[in-house]
Amino acid sequence: MADEVNEVIIPVEGMTCAACALRIERKLSKSDGVKSATVSYASEEAIVHSGLGGASLRDVVSTIEKTGYGVRKAIAETRVAGPNALVSAQELVDKLLRTNGILDAQLKSEGSEVEVVVQYITQIVSGGELARLFREFGSSASQDEGVIDPHEDSKKRLKVTKRRFWIALALSVPLAILAMSHGLIHIPYEHFVQFVLATPVVFYSGWPFFSGAWTSLKHGAADMNTLVALGVASAYTYSTGSTFFPTWFQSPGSDMPEVYFEAAALIVTLILFGRLLEERAKGKTGQAIASLMALKPTTVTQVTKAGDQTIGASDVELGMWVRVRPGEQVPVDGRVKEGSSAVDESMLTGESIPAIKQEGDRVSTGTQNTTGSIVVEVTRTGKDTVLNQIIDLVRRSAASKAPIQDLADRISAIFVPTVLVIAIATGLVWLVYGPDPVTTNALLRFVSVLIIACPCALGLATPTAIVVGTGKAAKLGILVRNAEALQRANKIKIVAVDKTGTLTEGKPQVVHVSINGSFSADEVLAYASSVEVHSEHPLGRAVLKEAKDQAVDWAPSQEFYSETGKGAGGFVDGKEVLVGSNSFLTEKGIQVEEPDIHEEATSVFHVAFDGECIGSIQVGDKIRESTQSAILDLNEMEIEVVMLTGDSLVAAERVANILGIKKYFAGLLPGEKVDAIKKLQENDSCVAMVGDGINDAPALTQSDVGLAVRSGSDIAMESADITLMTSDLKLVASAILLSRQTMTTIKQNLFFAFVYNIICIPIAAGVLFPVFGIVLSPILASAAMALSSVSVVTNSLRLKNSGSL
């Protein structure tokens, strides 16, 4: 089945604190067919991994809903008409049910037309993809209903929370003034008036707490809602009993028992205020994803024989030609077929200088065309576009968990039950040993402990920083695969860098041809070209260009073969031609003499014909302008830069001297690059590897943190923990700096959350009372609790304005 997924991200609704996320995570992890599951309260998403034939999407959604939470869904409707409408509609339903992201599809017959109603998850399958499926089966129309944008959903929740808060505030202020006047303000039936004012606050404004607590109770769990609901209910119930049955609660010598309606109401008001601030702050943490989503186009100008026409972005197909005028966003991924222009790619790469795009160059969705008009042939659509891949990667990274969060999760899992025990013990101690009025003091201390405890600060400490940190990285052109990679990058001490295409521009040119014996330079170029014509290596393309520039004639070799990282060979006129490194020719029994290195050369390889080395070709690859300053930045961060290259020792030494690199490995094969990384990892050093080629993939995997340059191969990027959207090596230093800043923020958050609870819970329990006579009222406790979560989220938001290199 198509919905038996390996990995899927599901938007989760109804979570009110970090304990909710942990509960869903534990339920999903224990489900049949689920390998692992991670749920983020900060991003409100679940990442679920299941093996082939494992849990289906419907199973996962069912588990989440049975745990008491929701999944954000949408409904689409379409009508199929015609004599075979029922058959076509049934075929459509069958195909839909095999499509990942579809939860349900049902038929409704209405005369000659058949209506198909589809329930789906927009984050997995888009409305545009559904529309294409509908059209395949003769749908006469399509319509989306109930599609809820995640940010609109967040705004809706914020609006409801605001309404509850303002109603609570409007009723709590006069209630507090009346209750705290201590007789200065006297009105008839004062307790009944307080009851009338408090009741809407408790049962309307405070309803989310009671609803959340009930959901937890039904599943045998407890969370922050449990603590708040129990504290509010205790104060309200005691006060209601004292109002309607005063003789039951009356203390000796008093006319009327004390009531604490203002405590119940103000607890709800203050915690709602904290939740309101928290929702606002959480909304800001996801702005990076929102800004990327905003880059998606809605319409496209298609070039046809009949002229230009505007179509919907979801109707774009591979091979279409699309016109992009000056000032417009590039609406597709493709290659320029006509025209040229400067394209601003800063929104994807962080590079502020527009890139010149000419015929044959790639352009990406969401970038900005600035000067000329270009026609682009579509090469990628839907989820395959670079923009969608970036959004997907940022979303996955934001929802993932860093290892440092494990401790907070373990504590959060037992936090609420522990607080309940402490609160009950506190109440009992005050009942037995407390001063008069005993019952009142015991109740207030019990409520204060319940209210002041804040598991949310613990739960938000790590994920909010990860969400903001990965979002900031994306804006800089740094894509982090997951939170674990971001944490590991904090410890990097050595950065190993591939030379070609990373330290250099990756645009080699032949700078000198050395000859041996009676062969000419043209003959060396001709034989090299006969082999390199079959190769995709950049050095091979440089040889072919030089042969063309020098008007050298050559014929393609036969029986071409290559050995990765070493060289290649073939046959010309029945005689073998070899092109490659010194070691490659030596292995073939051919003696090689290293030539004098040209001052502009960064790479040298040799050419052999019929068992004899006939010459060497030296290639120069210009060192990137930013490389020198990037290495200085890394050195200032006390990070050692090591160069790895397959080139000769002489060529490697020249580049290392220019850049001031003290340690380098030359003449490396792909497997030997892995050995070099292992050697650097001795003494528990954390080693990062930066590369851009297929040859770098094994070394990227071996390193503690692999960083791939996007201009390189897809294989290199798949092997990397972090992808750099431009070839600017300064992004390596920025990635490490951002990792350090994120980890510092996480540690600050965890420290505050731990210290807050360790200090505040005992104070709320009354440990200062015997010596200093100090007790904490439930109202102050609720204010402290509300501000604790907000302070953690606000501290994480500081990362958005953190510096970068």
Side-chain angles (χ1 to χ4, degrees), residues 534-780:
H534 302 292
S535 169
E536 291 294 324
H537 198 284
L539 298 184
R541 291 196 291 270
V543 170
L544 292 172
K545 183 178 184 300
E546 181 68 11
K548 181 180 179 181
D549 292 345
Q550 300 300 325
V552 173
D553 294 326
W554 51 270
S557 62
Q558 306 297 315
E559 301 177 43
F560 171 82
Y561 65 92
S562 66
E563 295 184 25
T564 303
K566 295 182 178 181
F571 291 83
V572 175
D573 297 330
K575 296 180 179 179
E576 188 174 30
V577 178
L578 300 173
V579 181
S581 64
N582 188 323
S583 61
F584 178 60
L585 268 65
T586 302
E587 287 177 7
K588 304 294 183 180
I590 298 172
Q591 186 175 353
V592 178
E593 290 185 13
E594 289 287 352
D596 293 332
I597 300 299
H598 189 276
E599 62 180 9
E600 294 181 6
T602 55
S603 300
V604 179
F605 57 94
H606 311 281
V607 183
F609 175 69
D610 196 23
E612 178 186 354
C613 181
I614 63 172
S616 303
I617 298 177
Q618 299 184 37
V619 174
D621 190 1
K622 188 178 178 183
I623 294 172
R624 295 186 188 278
E625 292 182 4
S626 60
T627 297
Q628 187 82 60
S629 61
I631 291 173
L632 290 174
D633 288 340
L634 289 167
N635 289 338
E636 286 177 5
M637 296 167 68
E638 299 183 351
I639 295 172
E640 181 183 8
V641 179
V642 178
M643 183 175 73
L644 308 182
T645 179
D647 287 334
S648 66
L649 182 62
V650 177
E653 185 177 22
R654 179 182 172 276
V655 174
N657 289 337
I658 292 172
L659 295 174
I661 295 174
K662 296 177 182 178
K663 183 180 288 188
Y664 51 89
F665 296 82
L668 298 177
L669 301 176
E672 292 172 335
K673 284 186 180 180
V674 173
D675 294 336
I677 295 293
K678 288 180 179 177
K679 187 170 183 178
L680 293 172
Q681 288 172 323
E682 292 175 357
N683 302 320
D684 295 326
S685 294
C686 184
V687 178
M689 169 70 189
V690 186
D692 73 334
I694 294 173
N695 293 351
D696 300 322
L700 287 168
T701 303
Q702 173 60 40
S703 65
D704 297 291
V705 181
L707 298 99
V709 179
R710 181 181 166 248
S711 60
S713 72
D714 289 338
I715 293 176
M717 285 186 278
E718 288 170 5
S719 305
D721 298 299
I722 297 172
T723 298
L724 309 178
M725 293 300 290
T726 68
S727 303
D728 188 348
L729 202 62
K730 287 179 76 69
L731 286 182
V732 176
S734 294
I736 297 171
L737 177 63
L738 186 59
S739 169
R740 291 179 177 181
Q741 291 170 338
T742 302
M743 292 310 300
T744 298
T745 300
I746 289 172
K747 289 172 183 176
Q748 289 170 346
N749 288 348
L750 288 172
F751 175 80
F752 174 80
F754 279 122
V755 168
Y756 165 84
N757 282 293
I758 289 171
I759 292 175
C760 290
I761 291 175
I763 292 176
V767 295
L768 298 180
F769 181 77
V771 179
F772 301 103
I774 296 174
V775 292
L776 196 66
S777 76
I779 296 170
L780 288 177

Side-chain angles (χ1 to χ4, degrees), residues 167-177 197 201 262 264-269:
I167 290 173
L169 184 66
L171 296 172
S172 296
V173 170
L175 174 59
I177 293 172
L197 290 171
V201 177
E262 84 285 358
L266 285 173
I267 287 170
V268 170
T269 304

Side-chain angles (χ1 to χ4, degrees), residues 83 94 187 308 377 459 499 522 572 609 638 677 735 738 744 789:
D94 291 342
I187 59 175
D308 291 359
E377 181 182 19
K499 178 179 73 67
D522 283 357
V572 175
F609 175 69
E638 299 183 351
I677 295 293
L738 186 59
T744 298
S789 294

Side-chain angles (χ1 to χ4, degrees), residues 77 117 302 337 462 541:
E77 297 177 353
V117 181
Q302 182 187 4
K337 300 299 290 185
T462 300
R541 291 196 291 270

